[in-house]
Amino acid sequence: MQPKRVLAEVDEFASELAAKDVCWSIQVRGEVDPDLRDLAARYGMIVPEETPLLLWDAELLPTLPTALPPGAKVRVVHGAEYDVLAAAMAAGFGVPREMAELLVQPPLLDAPGVTGYVLELNGEGVATGHNIRIGDHVVLLGGSVPERSRRSGYYRALVAARLRDAVADGARYAISENSPMSRPLFESFGARQFETLTHLTMS
């Protein structure tokens, strides 16, 4: 059972967010505690969604593919070019450009340990991703590919490049939260599930 102090803090944050015109959710590791589930239900959050967290260990699978699809190029995107990454992410996720820009502001892209990536095909961004490295761990976030460019090897090539860069920078372990679409790709590189994240969202 959740301590009353923790529940009170969650309740305070939930009350503040519920008063704003924003989308929000509650996220926990593993199963949802009954007390927390009851608290979430008071705010209309009764639909649990589970996503796997996968872990990749460079020492268990040190070899990664280096080939790129014809015409493709992977490069790092810094804050000065945030608009390049924002445009590619907007197309990949199918969201408004303004929403994508919130995720790639220059201070974030230029922050220590953060690296933004884009795979370009003949100069057009078709796959994106972020690495956030802390010590010997790196978290892989923000993966996107437009529907018209999927199943062509672009995201596989980008993930491989991001993992290679992370290992070269001192990381051993990579963590990713995966959708049913991306999970087989990460597992083909040797990643295995070690945790489940449960999201409580609005019904």
Side-chain angles (χ1 to χ4, degrees):
M1 304 295 281
Q2 289 286 350
K4 291 183 178 180
R5 179 180 58 82
V6 174
L7 286 171
E9 291 177 355
V10 174
D11 198 5
E12 183 178 350
F13 279 118
S15 178
E16 180 179 340
L17 290 170
K20 301 179 183 294
D21 186 23
V22 295
C23 296
W24 61 285
S25 64
I26 297 175
Q27 176 179 295
V28 299
R29 296 173 61 180
E31 295 184 1
V32 181
D33 180 277
D35 289 341
L36 181 60
R37 184 183 292 271
D38 290 344
L39 186 155
R42 297 206 314 266
Y43 292 94
M45 295 187 166
I46 57 176
V47 183
E49 297 179 358
E50 295 184 351
T51 56
L53 275 181
L54 270 58
L55 177 70
W56 179 84
D57 185 343
E59 293 195 2
L60 297 181
L61 190 70
T63 303
L64 290 164
T66 58
L68 293 174
K73 175 184 179 181
V74 174
R75 68 185 184 91
V76 171
V77 179
H78 299 287
E81 289 187 293
Y82 82 97
D83 56 324
V84 172
L85 199 54
M89 287 183 68
F93 287 123
V95 299
R97 171 71 173 266
E98 295 77 12
M99 184 180 297
E101 288 180 351
L102 295 175
L103 303 175
V104 292
Q105 288 298 297
L108 173 63
L109 293 178
D110 293 335
V114 178
T115 309
Y117 291 88
V118 64
L119 180 144
E120 294 176 328
L121 181 64
N122 300 320
E124 178 186 359
V126 295
T128 68
H130 294 78
N131 283 10
I132 301 179
R133 189 176 69 82
I134 302 176
D136 64 353
H137 285 69
V138 62
V139 180
L140 277 63
L141 301 169
S144 72
V145 183
E147 186 172 358
R148 67 179 183 278
S149 300
R150 294 171 187 168
R151 293 174 292 279
S152 300
Y154 301 133
Y155 192 57
R156 171 176 292 274
L158 180 61
V159 170
R162 292 162 64 193
L163 289 172
R164 290 197 307 271
D165 282 2
V167 172
D169 199 31
R172 172 180 172 179
Y173 304 102
I175 298 171
S176 61
E177 180 179 355
N178 293 95
S179 67
M181 184 184 302
S182 65
R183 180 172 182 170
L185 187 159
F186 280 80
E187 288 182 331
S188 74
F189 285 153
R192 295 294 179 262
Q193 182 174 352
F194 75 99
E195 183 65 275
T196 297
L197 289 182
T198 303
H199 306 263
L200 289 167
T201 61
M202 301 297 290
S203 59

